[in-house]
Amino acid sequence: MTGIFRKDVFVLRKQLILIVLSVIGFVVLSLLICGSFRYGNLVKLPEKDYADAFSSLTMLFGPLAAVLAELSLCTAFNGTISSDRKNGWYAFTSSLPVKKSSIALAKLFECVASAVLAAVVGVSATVGCYLIAGRTLSFSDILVPLLVVGIVLFVYMLPLFYVFRGKDTASFFVIVVLFVAINAVFAVIMISSDNGIGFAESADKLISKLPLICLALLAVDIVTFFVSWRISTSLLRKCDK
């Protein structure tokens, strides 16, 4: 399994370097913008505009950094599934002492490793933005990027890249599933807030339940990991037929 991971990293080395540079650039830009609320030109904004922009940006930059990192890494690693198939690598492994279950497990661990790195990026960006902007950081603020990472991980662990042989097709369905999931969350908030009248109150209630939501999502991700492992192994075995 370690050898498969090293192979994928070697194949994607140039793409991974670009992803790292892009994420670093986004985080640095986020810190500069948040710092401008305290030391730069954004201090001169009218009080109401300042408060709205301050709250929105400092809250969003961390989750956005996590999503950027995770989407880029997971798409890159899952892209090797279709490229390996096109290159006949799966057929080649039939002559080697490598189990299909080990290959599927390695691909899933690549998604998990991407999620862990994205979580570190998201939490670090959140803490950095809040500290540099001089805003008080709460435990819920740290959980927001973790929640986003968990949702994206769930979608990328689905065996879509095995079911759809083309990378572009699989990526398209991943985006569709993520879009539906995000809109479902907003729909639940809107419904529970009397058609949007009490949106802020509903959002506050949701934030207060973030620890439970994150634990539930973690359980869902663990179950999805093992279910997807079994399905992916079965689909990989069909590659030889």
Side-chain angles (χ1 to χ4, degrees), residues 89-177:
W89 187 78
Y90 293 133
F92 171 72
T93 57
S94 299
S95 62
L96 301 175
V98 179
K99 296 180 179 179
K100 299 300 183 185
S101 58
S102 298
I103 298 175
L105 189 62
K107 299 297 183 180
L108 285 169
F109 269 118
E110 287 173 355
C111 287
V112 173
S114 300
V116 172
L117 290 174
V120 172
V121 169
V123 171
S124 301
T126 298
V127 173
C129 286
Y130 275 68
L131 291 180
I132 203 168
R135 185 181 178 188
T136 304
L137 182 70
S138 67
F139 181 61
S140 296
D141 295 323
I142 297 176
L143 289 179
V144 172
L146 297 181
L147 177 66
V148 172
V149 165
I151 294 173
V152 176
L153 176 61
F154 164 75
V155 176
Y156 269 95
M157 284 195 301
L158 299 176
L160 293 174
F161 282 80
Y162 291 100
V163 175
F164 300 97
R165 298 183 180 184
K167 177 183 175 182
D168 294 337
T169 308
S171 300
F172 171 76
F173 272 85
V174 165
I175 294 172
V176 169
V177 174

Side-chain angles (χ1 to χ4, degrees), residues 14-213:
K14 292 182 180 180
Q15 191 171 346
L16 293 177
I17 291 173
L18 290 176
I19 290 172
V20 170
L21 293 177
S22 299
V23 172
I24 290 175
F26 181 84
V27 172
V28 170
L29 179 62
S30 302
L31 294 175
L32 289 175
I33 293 175
C34 290
S36 185
F37 279 106
R38 192 173 183 180
Y39 308 106
N41 294 332
L42 295 180
V43 177
K44 302 175 183 178
L45 285 175
E47 184 62 30
K48 184 180 182 303
D49 295 338
Y50 175 88
D52 292 341
F54 182 80
S55 299
S56 300
L57 290 177
T58 52
M59 180 180 66
L60 288 176
F61 275 138
L64 286 176
V67 169
L68 173 63
E70 191 172 8
L71 285 177
S72 302
L73 290 171
C74 285
T75 300
F77 279 118
N78 276 347
T80 61
I81 294 173
S82 94
S83 61
D84 286 344
R85 186 182 190 119
K86 292 175 183 177
N87 295 331
W89 187 78
Y90 293 133
F92 171 72
T93 57
S94 299
S95 62
L96 301 175
V98 179
K99 296 180 179 179
K100 299 300 183 185
S101 58
S102 298
I103 298 175
L105 189 62
K107 299 297 183 180
L108 285 169
F109 269 118
E110 287 173 355
C111 287
V112 173
S114 300
V116 172
L117 290 174
V120 172
V121 169
V123 171
S124 301
T126 298
V127 173
C129 286
Y130 275 68
L131 291 180
I132 203 168
R135 185 181 178 188
T136 304
L137 182 70
S138 67
F139 181 61
S140 296
D141 295 323
I142 297 176
L143 289 179
V144 172
L146 297 181
L147 177 66
V148 172
V149 165
I151 294 173
V152 176
L153 176 61
F154 164 75
V155 176
Y156 269 95
M157 284 195 301
L158 299 176
L160 293 174
F161 282 80
Y162 291 100
V163 175
F164 300 97
R165 298 183 180 184
K167 177 183 175 182
D168 294 337
T169 308
S171 300
F172 171 76
F173 272 85
V174 165
I175 294 172
V176 169
V177 174
L178 281 172
F179 178 79
V180 171
I182 292 172
N183 279 276
V185 172
F186 278 107
V188 170
I189 295 176
M190 293 295 289
I191 291 172
S192 62
S193 61
D194 297 328
N195 297 322
I197 297 175
F199 183 84
E201 291 79 0
S202 297
D204 291 337
K205 291 179 181 178
L206 185 64
I207 291 174
S208 67
K209 297 178 181 178
L210 271 181
L212 292 177
I213 295 174

